[in-house]
Structure formats: C-alpha cells, structure tokens
Amino acid sequence: MSLKNRFKEMVQQWMERRGRRPELKQVIWFSFTATAMATALIMGISFYGRFLAQIKDTFREENQFLMEQASYSFSNHLRNMMKVSDSLYYSVIKKTDMEIESVTDSFQLMYDTNKDHIERIALFSMDGRLLESAPAGKMSKGTNIKKEDWYWDTLASEENICLGKPEVAHLFEPSRQEYTRVVPMTRIVQMTVGDHVERGILLIQLKHNDFQDVFSNILLGGGSYLYLTDADGEIIYHPQQELVKSGYVEEAIDLNSIPSSGIVKNIGDKQREYFVKTVGYTGWKIIGVTQTDGIALNTFKSSMFIAFLTLFFLSIIVVINSFLSKRVSAPMGRLEEAVNRIEAGNLDTDIEPSGFYEVWHLGRAIDKMKNNLKRLMEDIVKEHEAKRKSELMALQNQINPHFLYNTLDIIVWMIENGKKDDAVNVVTALARFFRISLSRGCTVITVQDEVEHVRNYLMIQEMRFKNRFSYEFHLEDGVETLGTIKLILQPIVENAVYHAMEFMDGDGEIKVSVFRQGEDLYFLIQDNGCGMTQEQVEKLMNGMDICSGKGAGVGLRNVRERIRLVFGDSYDLSIVSEPDEGTEVRVKIPAISYDILRQRGLD
C-alpha cells in the first residue's frame, strides 16, 4: 500500500470512529499543517529578515524624494494662482475707480489666460453683492456668500490670501449640465469708489482637477500614494476620496504626531508609514503613505530565490491536492450542475447530497432552499394575480355614473310633460347602459358590448342636451368579437360631451371608430368641439380638471391606469387637439380575442 493510500485510509478510519461523515476542514487541516509550518519556517529564515529591511529603506528614500517633487510642483502651482490674485488686486482693482470705470475686460482677460486652472473669478461687496464675474454669469437663486465658510475665513485672514475647503461650484448657475469641484481662493480687497474706499472680497475658484493632475503625475510604487490636507487635517485631495468620505477607506492619523522622518501605524489590517511635507504659504500638508507590509522584493537574485522556493513548495502542494481534488471535485461538480439548473429556472431538479460533511450538508440545504423557493414563487404568483385583480376592480369602481341623477330628472320631466315614449326610450337605454356597466361583475367584455354601452350612453345624452349633437359609429369587420376591458370608452365620450358638445347648437358631431392595425386594436373618438390647447391636453392627461366642477381628468387618468395595469406600459391613450378644430382621442390595446383575454383570469 502506498503512503498516499495509507494516509487516506487513516483519515477515513479516524472519521468513522467519530460516527459521522469526514469534514472537509479536518482533512485539509491534516494535509496542510505540516506544509504550512515548513513554508513559514524556511521562507522566514531565508529571505524575510535578509532583504525586507533593505528594500524598505530604499523604498522610503524613493518615496520621500517623490514627495519633495510633489511638494515643489504643487507649491509652484499655488504660487502661480496667488500671482493671479495679486495681479487682479494690485494691477486692476486698486488702479480702477469702480464708480466710473469697469474691470470686466481685465477680469475676462485674466480668466481667458488661466481658464485651464480657474473655474471662475468673482468680485463681491462685503454685503454679498456681485460686482464682477468672469466668465459672466448669474448667481444661483437663494445664494448668499455670507453663508459660505470661506467668507468668514476671509474676514479672519484680513490681508492674507485664504484658501478654503474643496466644494461643488454652486454660487453661479452652471453653463453645463454637471457641476464641478473647486477650491475657493479669497482675499480682502480695497476698492476705490468715487471719493471713498470700500472693502470687498476677491474670489478665485481653482479647479480641483488641477490638484489631482499634480499628484497623479507622481507615481509611487508598492501600493503607496499621496494625499493633501488643510492645516486642520481635513482632506482636500485623496486618490480614493469618495471611499474615504464614505468610511470604506480609513485615514485616521494625527498629523501633529508625525515627524518628518515618518511614523508607522496599523490602520485596520494594513501597516502604513506616513510622511508629512508642509506646503508653504498655506499650512496645507502633503502626506505620503507607504504600505510597508506590501513591499515586494525586486532584485534578480531575490526573484530567482523566491521562484525556486515557490516551485518547490508548489510541487508538494500539487501532490496533496491530487489526493484532495478527487474527493472534493466530483460531488462539488454535481452540486454545481444542479445549482445551475435551478438558476436557469428548473425548480424540479433533484439534488443528491454526497461527499464530505460540508458538501453533503450544503447539498441538503440547497435542496431545502429549492423547495422553499418553489413554494414561495407559487405564493407570489397567486398574490400578484390577486393584487392585480383587486387594483383593477378598485379602478373600475371609481367610474361613477354620476349622470344617473340627471338622467332620472330628464325622465321625470318627460313624464310630467306627457312625453312618455321618449321617457321609455331613455329608461330602456339607461337599463342597457347599466347592464353592460355591471356585466355580472366581469371585467372583460367584447368590443361589441363596449361600443353598445357607449351607444346607449350617447342616446341618453342626446336627449338630455336636446339634440345639440349627433353621433355615429364605424367598426371594422371582425373587431366585434375581440376582447377589451369594460368602461374605457365611456369616460372618453363623456369628456367629449361635457367639454365639446355643451356649447354646440345642433351641429356637434361625435365619431367613434374601431379598427385593427397589425397586432394592435385602436379606438378613435373624434369631436368637432372647441378643442383644447396643448397645456390643457397635458393637464387632462395628468388627471387635472381643466374646467371647474367637471372632473373629466379623473376619468381619463382612470382609463390610462387600467389599460397599463392589464396590458402593460406600451399601451395607452393619446390626445390630439387644437383650439376651434376639435379633439381626437386614440386608445391603443392589443388585438386579443375575448376568450383568450378571459383566460388571463381578470374576472
């Protein structure tokens, strides 16, 4: 018996004595403990102490040199921006009588010269009035510079140039869709206004991207990076600024505790070495961070030595893995195939737990989860259908036949005046109208019944409005047997009667057409009434009342919601109208037979 097979048998016998299936973690522990200990011992003695300290020293020196470069470049950039501020103050503002002269051209020239680095130049009075801006712009509504932190920092700084914290440029209405991040640079200025001197504030918004460009050109290796803070330690620029702000990356370090030579601190599970360089004129600090536990050996001999050790221990691990893979991969592979079938939607997949204890237990858990998921999906489908039916019935119940009372008044009036035949016609039409409205509680009816329902409604309204309008119907052959949800035409026709026919004097016309185009069915309702403006159409489509007391917009909104609820968002109604030209309402639903639509379970 080989050593491999004997070891395997010993492990299995030991597990069987424990009275349960072998656990994967125990097999791996027995297999890898000796290898891990030997690896740690040999590698630690061989190269850790010998090379790492030397490489850290070299790496630290290189990073300190790069920090000096970053500090020099950044200081030059700030110095140039301060020169812009000095030029505007001493060469423009101080030499200009603001009462009779303008600094617009000078401001614009300075902006054009430095627009790659400056977002905006602005001059304010001490009470917050905008005196000049380049480029020209309008301040955002509700903006008050006295609410800005840099305003009070500037007052405290007196004659010194003050650099504020980064912020989103919000003082002026943006010329583009997106807002940009800026760093405000401000100073108190003395302005000549006629025969007296007034104080003001000169604001230069520096582009925050410039800071990123300066630091991104300084490439530190080994996971090291630079970031910038103000004198209080608040971060101005960080390569992972959003992550730091959200708390995913930690930079909890007291700047006063860091000597120039650096300090090593553990942040989370990372060991970092910090270096600080103060930027002149500002008090800002450039902080270099070196991941001391991530420094790699990069000499040729060291690389060859590491490669040799790696290959040696990999060969040992491969031998051990050849034993483990046969025991682990087969049941895991079968389990993966089963999970893939479940993921594809086949919840009838059979799962047979096998393998080590963890894999066997996982298979049982997935099988239980599959059964629970199948049951939950069935419950969700039933609940969704019930909710859809409930919402549809609630919307349909909102269609209130409020004209019933007026119709009964007409019938009473006809009887009192001896017009019994007309009263009989109205009562007959009213009965037919409500028979179709109720439809034995059904939601789905045929197109023929929906059109008949509207025909009865118009017959009643024609008598009520004393023949002020006429109506006609045009149905394409074959559409009568198609299915639709009930009460989608009556609210639209009612809208036409009340808003278009009320002021007609016998020459009003309402046309109802039903036709099919491809896989879609269209209802077209046209009138020659007074029409509507586009603003009125939009109000009506949004469920707003365009005529006080009518409430027609609610009916249209109800129709739209029921169409979308049953058929989806691709189906809706549209309105085309022009003042004095009439109105056209087009309803689009899928062309589905009555029987198929009933099978959807809407009733």
Side-chain angles (χ1 to χ4, degrees):
M1 181 182 296
S2 65
L3 180 62
K4 170 181 173 182
N5 292 334
R6 186 171 182 178
F7 177 77
K8 174 180 176 182
E9 183 179 352
M10 290 175 59
V11 172
Q12 289 180 341
Q13 290 176 354
W14 185 79
M15 292 298 178
E16 289 173 358
R17 286 197 298 269
R18 297 191 61 184
R20 64 175 182 177
R21 292 174 177 269
E23 293 184 11
L24 181 61
K25 64 179 181 180
Q26 294 170 336
V27 175
I28 293 177
W29 186 86
F30 277 110
S31 303
F32 283 92
T33 297
T35 304
M37 292 178 63
T39 301
L41 180 62
I42 295 173
M43 294 184 66
I45 296 175
S46 299
F47 65 87
Y48 183 79
R50 177 181 177 185
F51 301 110
L52 193 56
Q54 178 182 356
I55 292 178
K56 283 184 177 181
D57 291 340
T58 303
F59 195 73
R60 184 185 298 111
E61 292 175 1
E62 291 178 355
N63 284 347
Q64 285 182 322
F65 175 74
L66 292 175
M67 277 189 62
E68 294 290 341
Q69 283 189 324
S71 175
Y72 179 78
S73 299
F74 187 67
S75 297
N76 277 344
H77 176 68
L78 289 182
R79 192 179 298 110
N80 291 335
M81 294 301 100
M82 291 177 181
K83 288 180 180 178
V84 172
S85 178
D86 290 340
S87 298
L88 285 172
Y89 181 30
Y90 295 108
S91 301
V92 178
I93 298 174
K94 270 201 167 187
K95 294 183 178 180
T96 302
D97 187 342
M98 304 296 288
E99 188 174 63
I100 60 175
E101 297 179 79
S102 172
V103 296
T104 301
D105 293 340
S106 299
F107 270 48
Q108 187 62 45
L109 177 60
M110 189 64 72
Y111 170 77
D112 291 337
T113 304
N114 299 278
K115 63 182 179 181
D116 290 339
H117 310 293
I118 294 176
E119 181 69 20
R120 184 178 295 275
I121 302 172
L123 179 64
F124 297 93
S125 64
M126 296 305 295
D127 60 1
R129 289 181 297 108
L130 176 64
L131 304 178
E132 193 59 63
S133 172
K138 182 179 179 182
M139 293 188 69
S140 300
K141 187 176 181 180
T143 299
N144 184 355
I145 67 170
K146 291 185 178 181
K147 297 179 180 180
E148 304 296 327
D149 292 338
W150 54 260
Y151 175 84
W152 300 105
D153 293 340
T154 305
L155 295 184
S157 298
E158 290 298 332
E159 297 182 359
N160 296 327
I161 294 177
C162 179
L163 284 164
K165 296 179 174 61
E167 62 183 14
V168 175
H170 61 280
L171 294 180
F172 293 83
E173 294 182 354
S175 58
R176 303 181 297 274
Q177 291 296 326
E178 73 278 359
Y179 287 84
T180 57
R181 287 180 60 80
V182 297
V183 175
M185 184 171 69
T186 58
R187 72 187 305 161
I188 298 290
V189 296
Q190 304 288 337
M191 301 178 294
T192 301
V193 182
D195 56 355
H196 64 282
V197 175
E198 294 182 2
R199 295 203 311 165
I201 295 180
L202 175 63
L203 167 67
I204 299 177
Q205 293 180 330
L206 306 180
K207 290 186 176 180
H208 189 265
N209 286 343
D210 270 6
F211 293 14
Q212 180 177 348
D213 293 341
V214 169
F215 289 103
S216 62
N217 291 329
I218 306 298
L219 301 177
L220 304 181
S224 302
Y225 55 91
L226 299 174
Y227 69 96
L228 179 69
T229 71
D230 61 15
D232 298 325
E234 185 168 341
I235 292 177
I236 298 173
Y237 163 79
H238 194 288
Q240 296 176 308
Q241 191 147 345
E242 295 301 325
L243 296 178
V244 173
K245 185 182 298 184
S246 59
Y248 288 104
V249 174
E250 184 181 3
E251 291 291 359
I253 189 70
D254 182 8
L255 297 180
N256 295 323
S257 67
I258 306 177
S260 59
S261 58
I263 183 173
V264 177
K265 292 186 71 71
N266 291 323
I267 305 296
D269 59 346
K270 300 291 185 180
Q271 188 180 76
R272 302 176 184 175
E273 186 169 8
Y274 290 83
F275 299 90
V276 175
K277 180 71 175 179
T278 301
V279 180
Y281 309 104
T282 64
W284 290 1
K285 299 180 184 297
I286 299 175
I287 296 135
V289 182
T290 300
Q291 303 281 6
T292 58
D293 55 354
I295 298 176
L297 302 177
N298 52 12
T299 64
F300 177 77
K301 291 183 179 180
S302 300
S303 300
M304 291 298 295
F305 182 66
I306 294 172
F308 172 76
L309 289 179
T310 302
L311 291 175
F312 175 75
F313 290 112
L314 279 177
S315 63
I316 298 177
I317 292 174
V318 167
V319 173
I320 299 175
N321 280 344
S322 64
F323 164 71
L324 294 177
S325 61
K326 293 179 181 179
R327 297 294 307 275
V328 177
S329 61
M332 288 293 289
R334 290 192 295 271
L335 185 59
E336 181 184 10
E337 292 175 0
V339 170
N340 289 336
R341 289 195 295 271
I342 294 174
E343 185 180 10
N346 183 7
L347 296 180
D348 296 323
T349 300
D350 293 328
I351 297 178
E352 298 181 359
S354 61
F356 294 108
Y357 174 78
E358 285 80 1
V359 180
W360 175 81
H361 187 71
L362 179 61
R364 288 189 58 192
I366 292 176
D367 189 52
K368 291 180 180 179
M369 180 190 69
K370 176 204 70 176
N371 295 330
N372 292 336
L373 180 61
K374 186 177 180 180
R375 185 173 62 256
L376 287 173
M377 289 183 66
E378 292 173 353
D379 293 342
I380 290 172
V381 170
K382 293 178 182 178
E383 182 181 349
H384 178 73
E385 290 297 326
K387 181 179 178 182
R388 192 162 69 109
K389 290 179 183 179
S390 176
E391 291 179 352
L392 184 58
M393 293 303 297
L395 288 171
Q396 287 189 168
N397 290 336
Q398 292 177 5
I399 302 296
N400 179 22
H402 53 273
F403 69 96
L404 173 61
Y405 301 107
N406 294 328
T407 304
L408 294 176
D409 289 340
I410 293 173
I411 295 172
V412 172
W413 177 82
M414 288 179 176
I415 294 174
E416 289 176 348
N417 288 274
K419 297 182 178 181
K420 296 182 179 181
D421 292 338
D422 291 339
V424 170
N425 291 335
V426 174
V427 171
T428 301
L430 184 62
R432 292 174 179 171
F433 176 86
F434 279 106
R435 183 171 64 251
I436 297 176
S437 293
L438 297 175
S439 302
R440 299 178 183 176
C442 297
T443 298
V444 176
I445 61 175
T446 63
V447 171
Q448 183 175 1
D449 286 343
E450 179 70 5
V451 172
E452 183 65 22
H453 178 256
V454 175
R455 194 190 306 275
N456 292 322
Y457 172 80
L458 287 173
M459 183 184 300
I460 296 170
Q461 295 292 25
E462 184 183 28
M463 295 181 181
R464 178 184 175 189
F465 284 95
K466 299 181 178 58
N467 298 319
R468 293 183 187 176
F469 65 91
S470 61
Y471 58 88
E472 58 183 82
F473 291 83
H474 299 283
L475 274 72
E476 185 181 277
D477 292 339
V479 300
E480 298 91 342
T481 59
L482 296 178
T484 180
I485 55 175
K486 67 182 181 182
L487 299 179
I488 63 173
L489 291 183
Q490 185 268 333
I492 301 173
V493 173
E494 178 183 355
N495 200 29
V497 170
Y498 279 99
H499 291 280
M501 301 294 107
E502 187 172 7
F503 303 103
M504 303 300 287
D505 189 17
D507 55 353
E509 295 181 358
I510 295 179
K511 296 180 181 180
V512 179
S513 304
V514 186
F515 56 92
R516 181 173 180 172
Q517 287 185 357
E519 299 298 323
D520 298 323
L521 180 66
Y522 290 90
F523 296 93
L524 190 63
I525 301 91
Q526 299 170 296
D527 66 68
N528 64 343
C530 57
M532 296 178 288
T533 63
Q534 185 62 33
E535 181 181 0
Q536 289 175 316
V537 169
E538 292 177 357
K539 287 183 178 180
L540 203 59
M541 292 291 283
N542 292 325
M544 299 174 65
D545 185 8
I546 61 172
C547 293
S548 177
K550 300 302 182 184
V554 176
L556 285 181
R557 183 178 60 189
N558 185 292
V559 171
R560 296 184 70 193
E561 290 177 354
R562 287 190 292 124
I563 290 174
R564 291 176 178 177
L565 182 63
V566 175
F567 301 115
D569 292 341
S570 58
Y571 297 96
D572 201 350
L573 64 81
S574 59
I575 300 177
V576 178
S577 183
E578 292 288 341
D580 301 326
E581 295 293 334
T583 301
E584 175 183 293
V585 180
R586 183 181 295 253
V587 179
K588 174 187 174 183
I589 65 173
I592 304 175
S593 69
Y594 170 74
D595 294 333
I596 294 177
L597 195 57
R598 283 290 301 272
Q599 292 174 4
R600 291 188 175 183
L602 297 176
D603 296 333

